[in-house]
Amino acid sequence: TFQRQLQQSDCQNVLMKKVFDTHMLFLQINQSAAALKHVFAALRLFVGKFPSAFFQGQADLCGSLCYEILKCCNHRSRSTQTEASALLYFFMRKNFEFNKQKSIVRSHLQLIKAVSQLIADAGIGGPRFQHSLAIINNFANGDKQMKNVNFPAEVKDLTKRIRTVLMATAQMKEHEKDPEMLVDLQYSLANSYASTPELRRTWLESMAKIHARNGDLSEAAMCYIHIAALIAEYLKRKGKINISKTNCISINII
């Protein structure tokens, strides 16, 4: 009935936010496994009908949905885990199709952010969550329509990176009283996201805070210089600024 209003401004409007929040309430309030099955079906229809709400403009809706679905991937019910994994796979596939079969950059970024949040909020990462990641990989491997494109490889890369974050976070907790080891682990994680500047910046900022807290100001400054270099590289690619070797701030910035 309100499809035209929902699609205004590329689905970036107040009515869309209200409809989306209503859908999210069904995931935020405890439901039976039978009810959740219908909620997931409704969300598949919603994402299929309004993909630009999630994959264009602001990333708020995309991030919120990724968070709630991942939470369900850690559900105690096996059937709910499977349904949530199927919805997440569908969501990533829609992102791929929306980007004209080029990438799933937005869902990748928002899922990694959601995992980082859920580690603190819900303690995910155990056998149930690992089982859901395996289900998602199986969907990607068995999707005949995506056999000749790079989508299955992107899904595999994403699940691998989620496992890397989970492992690194577990190690960080073990070494939280050893600042040098903690920073070393964060540095390794930041390097693993060399191709994803937004996430690399997040970890570099975290490293800078630890260095500053320990009084290691030169190391903190170097982290911020790396962040500046990431931003400069982005602006260069956009044609906003010109950078040459004579502008180099530090030989450590590559």
Side-chain angles (χ1 to χ4, degrees):
T1 304
F2 298 98
Q3 188 165 340
R4 187 164 37 168
Q5 292 94 318
L6 287 166
Q7 288 175 330
Q8 283 179 357
S9 304
D10 291 324
C11 298
Q12 309 294 313
N13 58 70
V14 176
L15 183 60
M16 173 59 75
K17 181 71 167 64
K18 287 181 178 179
V19 172
F20 174 77
D21 287 346
T22 304
H23 278 82
M24 289 301 95
L25 275 174
F26 286 102
L27 294 179
Q28 291 158 356
I29 300 170
N30 287 335
Q31 308 286 346
S32 67
L36 280 172
K37 187 174 181 178
H38 294 291
V39 174
F40 292 138
L43 282 167
R44 278 196 297 274
L45 183 64
F46 188 56
V47 172
K49 216 173 182 70
F50 305 105
S52 55
F54 303 95
F55 309 126
Q56 196 168 297
Q58 294 295 318
D60 298 355
L61 302 192
C62 181
S64 297
L65 183 58
C66 287
Y67 180 90
E68 295 300 338
I69 299 174
L70 281 174
K71 203 162 65 173
C72 292
C73 286
N74 201 45
H75 201 276
R76 63 182 176 275
S77 163
R78 273 296 171 98
S79 63
T80 298
Q81 286 175 36
T82 303
E83 289 283 346
S85 301
L87 174 58
L88 194 54
Y89 179 76
F90 172 81
F91 187 72
M92 289 188 285
R93 185 175 170 177
K94 276 293 171 188
N95 188 184
F96 189 71
E97 291 169 353
F98 188 82
N99 286 346
K100 298 178 181 177
Q101 299 196 340
K102 291 178 181 176
S103 71
I104 56 167
V105 172
R106 173 163 288 198
S107 52
H108 181 125
L109 177 60
Q110 295 305 319
L111 282 165
I112 294 294
K113 282 187 174 181
V115 166
S116 303
Q117 287 177 289
L118 281 164
I119 287 167
D121 298 347
I124 63 167
R128 290 187 300 206
F129 191 74
Q130 295 291 349
H131 175 71
S132 293
L133 292 179
I135 292 172
I136 292 166
N137 272 328
N138 289 338
F139 278 131
N141 293 331
D143 195 336
K144 293 180 181 178
Q145 291 181 333
M146 292 287 162
K147 192 175 180 180
N148 298 318
V149 293
N150 67 336
F151 178 66
E154 290 214 22
V155 172
K156 189 175 180 180
D157 177 60
L158 173 58
T159 54
K160 183 181 176 182
R161 287 180 182 271
I162 288 174
R163 288 191 176 101
T164 301
V165 171
L166 293 171
M167 275 174 42
T169 306
Q171 288 177 321
M172 284 176 200
K173 283 183 180 178
E174 287 177 22
H175 298 284
E176 59 187 356
K177 292 182 180 178
D178 182 350
E180 290 183 1
M181 187 64 182
L182 182 59
V183 167
D184 192 48
L185 289 167
Q186 289 197 323
Y187 179 68
S188 298
L189 196 56
N191 280 346
S192 74
Y193 281 97
S195 60
T196 314
E198 297 96 330
L199 289 171
R200 194 172 188 210
R201 175 184 172 177
T202 300
W203 289 107
L204 286 168
E205 284 176 340
S206 181
M207 284 170 61
K209 287 174 185 175
I210 292 170
H211 280 311
R213 193 165 60 236
N214 295 328
D216 302 324
L217 301 183
S218 332
E219 288 83 353
M222 191 56 70
C223 289
Y224 286 120
I225 290 171
H226 272 279
I227 292 168
L230 282 174
I231 296 168
E233 182 64 27
Y234 174 80
L235 292 173
K236 181 186 176 184
R237 288 180 182 177
K238 288 286 185 180
K240 303 288 185 183
I241 60 172
N242 185 32
I243 303 172
S244 65
K245 288 183 179 179
T246 55
N247 306 116
C248 187
I249 300 170
S250 166
I251 58 170
N252 290 326
I253 307 301
I254 299 173

